[in-house]
Amino acid sequence: MGSFKQVALVMGLSALACVAHAEEWEVAKDEQGVKVSLASIAGSDYKAYRGVTFIKAPLAKVRALQEDVAGACAWIHECKSQKLLKAEGDQSWTYTQFSTPWPVTPRDSILHITTSQDADGSVTRKLEGVPKYLPEEKGFVRVAQVEGFWKLQPKDGGTEVTYQVHTEPGGSVPSMVANKFVVDAPFNTLKALKAKAERP
C-alpha cells in the first residue's frame, strides 16, 4: 500500500510540475497581505496565476474551511454554488457554478481533488479538471481544463497558503475579462479565506 501511495504522490507531483513549468512569474498585485503572480503557459491564451498569503490560524482550521465544499463557495471568487459529488479516501470530486460578467456565459467546473500530507505537516490539494465527469448543464459553459494546487504550510503562528492554477475556461472569453479574472480570482479568494480563517 505504501508503494502505491508513493507512485500516486510521484504522479501527483509530476502533474504539479506542469503548472510549475511556467517559470517566468511576474508579480501582478501585492496588497492586504496577498501576493498574486502571473505566468504565461506555452500554447495557451490564458495565464497561470499564483496567490500566496499568510493566515494567522492553525493549518487544521484552514483545511477544514477548504473541505467544507458547500461552505467554501462563500469565499471562492465568483462562486455561485458548489457541491461535493463523491469522496473516496484522500480523493474527492466537486461541482461548482460560477457567475461571470456580461457578456460572458456563466461557467461550471468539475474538479478531481487529491489531498496529500508531507512529513512537515504541509498539506497539498492537487486540482484537476474532469469536464466529462457529468453531462453539461444548460445555461453554462463547462470549464475545459483546470490544473493546479492548494498548498497549506504550517509556519510560526499560522499557515502559509499558496493557490496556483491554470485554467482553459472554454468557449469565448474577451481578453480584458480573462486578464482581470487571473488576478481577481486568487486575490479575492485568498483575501476572503484569510478573513474567514482569522475570525475568532
Side-chain angles (χ1 to χ4, degrees), residues 34-55:
V34 179
K35 184 177 181 178
V36 175
S37 303
L38 303 178
S40 297
I41 299 289
S44 175
D45 293 332
Y46 304 97
K47 291 189 173 183
Y49 59 76
R50 177 199 284 160
V52 181
T53 193
F54 178 77
I55 296 178

Side-chain angles (χ1 to χ4, degrees), residues 47-118:
K47 291 189 173 183
Y49 59 76
R50 177 199 284 160
V52 181
T53 193
F54 178 77
I55 296 178
K56 293 176 191 165
L59 188 147
K61 184 175 183 182
V62 179
R63 182 176 180 174
L65 287 171
Q66 293 207 331
E67 292 177 348
D68 172 12
V69 176
C73 195
W75 49 263
I76 292 172
H77 179 64
E78 297 293 14
C79 181
K80 188 178 174 188
S81 69
Q82 184 166 260
K83 64 183 177 182
L84 179 67
L85 299 174
K86 182 181 175 184
E88 204 171 74
D90 59 4
Q91 301 183 74
S92 61
W93 289 259
T94 62
Y95 173 73
T96 311
Q97 292 184 341
F98 295 96
S99 304
T100 50
W102 185 90
V104 181
T105 306
R107 288 327 194 241
D108 66 359
S109 169
I110 302 171
L111 290 183
H112 173 209
I113 302 165
T114 306
T115 303
S116 58
Q117 190 154 350
D118 296 334

Side-chain angles (χ1 to χ4, degrees), residues 98-170:
F98 295 96
S99 304
T100 50
W102 185 90
V104 181
T105 306
R107 288 327 194 241
D108 66 359
S109 169
I110 302 171
L111 290 183
H112 173 209
I113 302 165
T114 306
T115 303
S116 58
Q117 190 154 350
D118 296 334
D120 68 352
S122 297
V123 171
T124 301
R125 307 180 78 229
K126 184 172 79 76
L127 312 175
E128 178 196 3
V130 282
K132 306 289 187 193
Y133 190 87
L134 289 177
E136 293 191 10
E137 292 273 340
K138 191 176 178 184
F140 288 86
V141 172
R142 181 68 43 85
V143 174
Q145 184 184 332
V146 179
E147 191 181 337
F149 63 89
W150 283 93
K151 186 169 178 73
L152 314 180
Q153 202 162 358
K155 295 266 180 174
D156 291 342
T159 309
E160 184 178 86
V161 179
T162 302
Y163 176 39
Q164 182 171 312
V165 176
H166 176 244
T167 301
E168 292 290 342

